[in-house]
Amino acid sequence: MHPALQTPLLSLLGCQLPIMLAGMGGVARHRLAAAVANAGGFGCMGMVREPPERIRSEIQALRTLTAAPFGINLIPAATDAALLKREISTCLSEQVPVMVLFWGVDAPLVRHLKAAGVTVIHQVGTVAAAEAALAAGADALIAQGVEAGGHVHGTVSTLALLPEVVALSDVPVAAAGGIGSGAALVAALALGAQGVSLGSALLATHEANAHPHHQQRLLAASAEETVYTRQFARNWHEPAPVRVLPNAVTAGAYAEEAARGESPEIGQQDGQPIYLFSTDSPLADATGRLDDMALYAGQSCGQITTLCSAAERIEQIIGEAEQTLRRLIRT
Ligand SMILES: Cc1cc2nc3c(=O)[nH]c(=O)nc-3n(C[C@H](O)[C@H](O)[C@H](O)COP(=O)(O)O)c2cc1C
C-alpha cells in the first residue's frame, strides 16, 4: 500500500486502511461493521437510542464475525439521560474498545470513558466543538463538513473545516462528508486528515441494514439533489438540520400536519412504529410509506452509482486512491 495511506490513525484504531465506517444509526449494525473491519477498515456500529439489550447482542454478533477492534457510536445529547447511562454501562461491561460520539460534547462522559480505558473519538462540525472535544480528552476527531448525510452539525464544507480542525492539535483527524471516491480520500489526506469516515458510500452496500428503496434512491441521486432541512425533527432533542434526498416531506406536502404538530404513523421497523417527520431512516425490514421517511444521503451520493459489497467499495476506493497518488506524485 502507498505509504501516504498508512497514517498513525491506523495504529490508534487497530486497522489496516484509512477508512472508517460512520456510525449510522440502525444502518451500521454488526454485518456492515464486520464486513468493513474484515476488509481492513474500521467498523463502527450506530447505536443511538438503541436499547442496551440490542447493543449487547450486536456486539456479541459482531465478535462472532471478526476479531478486529470496533467502535460504538452514540449521540449523548439526543438520548434520554437514563437510557444513555444504561447504554454506556453496557458498552463498558462489553469492553468496547472505541466509542465514537457526536453532537454536543459531553465532557464528563468523555472523561468517564477515558478513565475506563476506552479510546474516544468525537465527530465535530465546528472548530468550537473540536476544541471542546480536545479539552475533554478525545483521542481523535472526525471533522464533518456540511456535505455530510444524516445529521449535520456545522455549516462549513469539509474542504474548509478540515484544515482548521487539523491545526488545533496533534490528535488524528478523519474527514467526513463529500467523500465517496479514492480521489476524495487523497484530497482529505492532503488537507491533513489521517483517514475518512464514510456514511453514504457504505450505506449502498449489501451488508448495510438500510432498506433497498433508500439505497436505490441514493444510487440514482446527484450531489445537488440532496436537501439540507430541519423537517425531520421528531424524536430528536432540537430541530437539528439533516441532509436527505428530496421527498414529499421536503417538498412541503405535509405542511398542514407540521403546522398542527401532527405526526401520524407511516410505517414500522424493528417492531416499532415510524412516525412522519421522525429521524428514523427506513431500515431493511421497514414497511409502510418508505419514501416519506428520512432518506439520509450526503453530497457524496453523486460519486456512488453501484450497489456492491462493503469489501468491494473499500477495495475500489483504496485502488483509486493509489492511482490518484501515482498520478499526483511522479517521482
Ligand atoms: C443513513 C445515515 C445515518 C447516520 N446516522 C448517524 C448516527 O447515528 N450517528 C452519527 O454520529 N452520525 C450519523 N450520520 C452521519 C455520519 O456520521 C457522517 O457524518 C456522514 O455520513 C458523512 O457523510 P457521507 O454520508 O457523505 O459519507 C449518519 C449518516 C447517514 C448517511
Side-chain angles (χ1 to χ4, degrees):
M1 192 170 57
H2 195 289
L5 300 174
Q6 292 160 12
T7 66
L9 177 67
L10 308 190
S11 5
L12 179 74
L13 299 178
C15 61
Q16 294 80 49
L17 301 173
I19 294 182
M20 302 168 69
L21 167 61
M24 295 178 281
V27 171
R29 289 190 178 161
H30 70 272
R31 248 169 45 90
L32 182 55
V36 168
N38 290 333
F42 181 74
C44 177
M45 297 196 287
M47 289 289 137
V48 54
R49 287 194 303 266
E50 294 286 12
E53 303 70 38
R54 172 166 291 129
I55 296 182
R56 194 181 297 281
S57 64
E58 287 291 320
I59 293 171
Q60 289 169 353
L62 177 71
R63 284 183 165 141
T64 65
L65 299 178
T66 180
F70 63 92
I72 294 285
N73 166 253
L74 296 177
I75 306 184
T79 307
D80 165 76
L83 174 60
L84 179 66
K85 209 170 162 192
R86 291 170 57 229
E87 290 180 330
I88 295 292
S89 74
T90 303
C91 291
L92 293 180
S93 74
E94 287 292 333
Q95 300 187 303
V96 168
V98 178
M99 296 290 300
V100 181
L101 306 175
F102 187 33
W103 219 253
V105 177
D106 183 339
L109 175 60
V110 174
R111 287 195 289 270
H112 177 60
L113 293 169
K114 294 278 303 163
V118 177
T119 296
V120 178
I121 302 179
H122 216 294
Q123 178 163 246
V124 296
T126 64
V127 167
E131 286 171 340
L134 290 169
D139 298 286
L141 299 175
I142 299 170
Q144 185 205 47
V146 72
E147 304 94 319
H151 281 86
V152 181
H153 198 226
T155 53
V156 174
S157 70
T158 307
L159 196 74
L161 177 70
L162 184 55
E164 286 201 36
V165 172
V166 168
L168 294 176
S169 75
D170 292 333
V171 156
V173 180
I179 300 160
S181 71
L185 163 58
V186 172
L189 295 175
L191 290 167
Q194 296 194 16
V196 291
S197 178
L198 303 182
S200 303
L202 291 166
L203 181 144
T205 61
H206 301 311
E207 296 89 349
N209 192 42
H211 196 282
H213 177 74
H214 189 177
Q215 294 177 314
Q216 291 304 327
R217 286 280 327 263
L218 191 148
L219 292 172
S222 63
E224 64 191 342
E225 283 173 62
T226 68
V227 182
Y228 175 87
T229 175
R230 286 183 169 77
Q231 283 161 301
F232 296 95
R234 197 192 149 112
N235 62 21
W236 194 263
H237 63 294
E238 57 183 346
V242 296
R243 187 173 298 284
V244 290
L245 297 167
N247 65 1
V249 173
T250 63
Y254 303 113
E256 284 177 19
E257 284 84 344
R260 289 197 298 266
E262 292 171 8
S263 50
E265 184 174 327
I266 57 169
Q268 295 228 332
Q269 68 190 14
D270 277 345
Q272 302 288 330
I274 302 289
Y275 298 97
L276 191 62
F277 309 125
S278 129
T279 58
D280 297 313
S281 67
L283 303 183
D285 73 338
T287 54
R289 286 154 49 190
L290 304 171
D291 203 66
D292 286 347
M293 299 178 189
L295 301 173
Y296 297 130
Q299 291 180 340
S300 57
C301 64
Q303 302 159 44
I304 304 153
T305 53
T306 55
L307 189 71
C308 58
S309 69
E312 285 166 336
R313 177 80 71 225
I314 289 172
E315 196 183 326
Q316 188 193 0
I317 290 175
I318 293 293
E320 281 172 9
E322 305 239 26
Q323 266 178 27
T324 307
L325 286 163
R326 281 198 294 275
R327 175 165 57 80
L328 294 174
I329 311 166
R330 292 175 200 273
T331 50

